[in-house]
Amino acid sequence: MNPLKEALKIKDQIIAWRRDFHMHPELGYEEERTSKIVEEHLKEWGYRTKRVGTGIIADIGKEGKTVALRADMDALPVQEENDVPYKSRVSGKMHACGHDAHTAMLLGASKIIAEHKEELPNKVRLIFQPAEEGGNGALKMIEDGALKGVDAIFGLHVWMELPSGIVGIREGPFMAGVGRFDIEIEGKGGHGASPHETIDPVPIAAQVILAFQTIISRNLNPLESGVVSVGTIKAGEAFNVIPERVYMNGTYRFFTQETKKLIEKRIEEVLKGIVIANNASYKLKIEEVAPPTINDSSMASLTKRVAQKLGLKVEEVPKSMGSEDFSFYLQKVPGAFIALGIRNEEKRIIYPHHHPKFNVDEEVLPLGTALEVGLAFGKI
Ligand SMILES: [Zn+2]
Ligand SMILES: [Zn+2]
């Protein structure tokens, strides 16, 4: 069986699925329609399926090790600005990260795998998960047994930084771990004309934000990477009133436990020091959201061999400070997160992930399907 030939045979079908999902985007944990369509097909093709909320676990095959393939199905709260016939029909929601393509590619692979199940050297587990975008849907799937008996796992993500059709593979750390902090600085409010009678939390917050910029530049080893970004800040309602409190939150990124701990420690120390020096008080909530995505070296090289055997062009993809909840699977089972290039200047498919003009070069969809089929048949 030639996975690429099989995938090209159903190319139109894969594109049609992708466009259908694209027109009907659903946010995290609301993937009712999408999962219903996926489940109906899987049952029709002979998979043993299990529901996990709006997620689906499906098995096929009798012998050998178990290879898991994962797709995420959720969309984003973004208003689409593409002028295409398959534009999102739901106002304020859009598949702006390409999860519609992931679902369609894996559905295509599922069909081909089922048609050739007698030749399968492995058992195959499909994981169609909800809520990748900030909802940690992967965790829910794992809690409900998605990784039980699984020997290797692979997940594909369309990738705007890579030219169309290139398979991006990386051994070891690939995507960053992500954390979130929420801060409340409490001072003493009062009249804007009498600052001396108040403890103004606004300049305190300003000092904190500026001092946070030195955590990466002055505290972290320059050869390591990390990010601290304040994302929101909220203080006061009136132009002539000194508010009682300032709220802010933000994100931090890391690749190692040492960096994570250093950032968390410095956020608290810097905040505490500045607040105390100003006679104010604070509340801090700081927590890891997802660990870094770290590919197993042998699974990454297996992916490379499978892709090259299919005649696909492979490149090493640079690390990214973005994050992926696929990291939770990789914490438990060896596997690889794989990038699939979709950038196409001629078609103006150049806008970054989560942008209202994000789009996918659909020519790559059968390539992703073929790669997934190749991995299902791979010698793990
Ligand atoms: Zn995304
Ligand atoms: Zn994504």
Side-chain angles (χ1 to χ4, degrees), residues 118-357:
E118 306 308 332
E119 303 149 53
L120 262 184
N122 304 305
K123 285 181 272 191
V124 176
R125 157 114 9 118
L126 309 171
I127 302 172
F128 287 90
Q129 76 157 72
E132 190 285 323
E133 300 286 0
N136 278 351
L139 269 184
K140 295 262 185 303
M141 299 303 285
I142 295 169
E143 279 164 18
D144 266 18
L147 291 181
K148 228 172 153 194
V150 169
D151 298 287
I153 184 160
F154 300 93
L156 210 55
H157 205 301
V158 292
W159 215 250
M160 195 55 79
E161 286 85 58
L162 280 176
S164 228
I166 305 268
V167 178
I169 299 175
R170 179 169 194 94
E171 289 184 20
F174 181 4
M175 310 276 289
V178 53
R180 170 190 174 132
F181 57 86
D182 289 87
I183 292 170
E184 179 187 327
I185 297 172
E186 188 175 329
K188 192 172 145 233
H191 200 293
S194 310
H196 58 294
E197 287 167 8
T198 73
I199 297 171
D200 187 349
V202 173
I204 301 173
Q207 288 178 51
V208 168
I209 292 168
L210 286 178
F212 277 180
Q213 311 310 311
T214 64
I215 295 174
I216 301 304
S217 69
R218 303 289 88 178
N219 302 140
L220 184 65
N221 181 333
L223 297 171
E224 293 292 322
S225 33
V227 175
V228 177
S229 295
V230 174
T232 76
I233 169 155
K234 189 177 177 317
E237 302 289 343
F239 83 100
N240 56 357
V241 176
I242 289 170
E244 192 84 4
R245 291 178 191 84
V246 175
Y247 301 93
M248 50 198 202
N249 63 24
T251 185
Y252 56 104
R253 308 285 164 122
F254 51 89
F255 278 103
T256 65
Q257 280 305 303
E258 293 73 48
T259 302
K260 175 185 116 111
K261 283 191 191 133
L262 174 80
I263 292 173
E264 289 173 348
K265 183 170 155 275
R266 287 303 293 154
I267 284 178
E268 172 122 45
E269 286 172 352
V270 165
L271 172 66
K272 189 176 178 182
I274 291 171
V275 165
I276 287 175
N278 287 283
N279 293 320
S281 62
Y282 73 93
K283 282 184 197 138
L284 169 67
K285 202 176 128 205
I286 186 161
E287 61 187 358
E288 177 177 311
V289 177
T293 303
I294 299 172
N295 282 343
D296 179 86
S297 332
S298 62
M299 293 303 158
S301 35
L302 169 72
T303 308
K304 192 172 167 184
R305 286 198 302 277
V306 169
Q308 283 170 337
K309 208 175 144 200
L310 293 171
L312 305 179
K313 222 176 139 204
V314 175
E315 269 181 27
E316 186 184 67
V317 64
K319 281 197 271 187
S320 156
M321 296 314 287
S323 77
E324 238 298 328
D325 78 353
F326 194 75
S327 55
F328 288 108
Y329 301 111
L330 291 178
Q331 266 189 332
K332 309 243 181 238
V333 175
F337 190 60
I338 308 152
L340 178 61
I342 50 168
R343 187 181 191 86
N344 188 324
E345 309 273 346
E346 264 167 48
K347 296 182 187 169
R348 300 293 296 156
I349 297 175
I350 50 167
Y351 296 94
H353 293 261
H354 296 201
H355 190 281
K357 286 187 175 164

Side-chain angles (χ1 to χ4, degrees), residues 90-101:
V90 186
S91 157
K93 295 180 192 174
M94 176 192 176
H95 270 291
C97 199
H99 300 184
D100 50 345

